[in-house]
Amino acid sequence: MTQRGDDLASTIKGVGLISGGLDSLLAVAVLKSQRIGLAGIHIIIGFSQDDIRRRIYEGIPPARIADEKARRFSELLGIPVEAPDHSGEFLEVLRNP
């Protein structure tokens, strides 16, 4: 790649949508390998088995689960990751469609 191409690649930015599954993690890894500047987002909707178990049986607050997931994905992928908790909004839609 030319110097100009290197400069262009270093200015490309993107957002990696992270479900937590293998496909989304690999997609982020491929984009990183192409030197695309990434930030990740993992939206917590509260319906994963892990989220339910931790909230109900372990009494862990949703905000702490979100922080832990963001930190874990960030460490794994080497990019900044946000994990906003929207579980209350999703639950409300189920209660009142």
Side-chain angles (χ1 to χ4, degrees):
M1 188 178 281
T2 67
Q3 178 60 36
R4 184 166 190 214
D6 289 339
D7 292 341
L8 179 62
S10 67
T11 62
I12 297 174
K13 307 265 186 254
V15 176
L17 304 176
I18 303 166
S19 68
L22 182 59
D23 292 348
S24 63
L25 297 176
L26 288 175
V28 167
V30 167
L31 292 172
K32 270 189 64 181
S33 74
Q34 296 174 4
R35 294 173 296 153
I36 295 174
L38 291 174
I41 186 164
H42 172 77
I43 299 172
I44 296 177
I45 61 172
F47 298 114
S48 77
Q49 290 180 346
D50 183 55
D51 291 351
I52 292 170
R53 176 185 53 78
R54 296 185 77 206
R55 287 174 90 164
I56 294 174
Y57 298 111
E58 297 175 23
I60 298 174
R64 183 169 149 208
I65 293 172
D67 289 344
E68 289 173 358
K69 282 189 166 188
R71 186 173 46 254
R72 186 174 72 222
F73 286 132
S74 182
E75 289 171 359
L76 177 68
L77 298 168
I79 63 172
V81 176
E82 294 289 325
D85 177 20
H86 290 282
S87 57
E89 297 163 49
F90 277 87
L91 186 57
E92 185 58 33
V93 168
L94 289 176
R95 288 183 181 143
N96 299 301

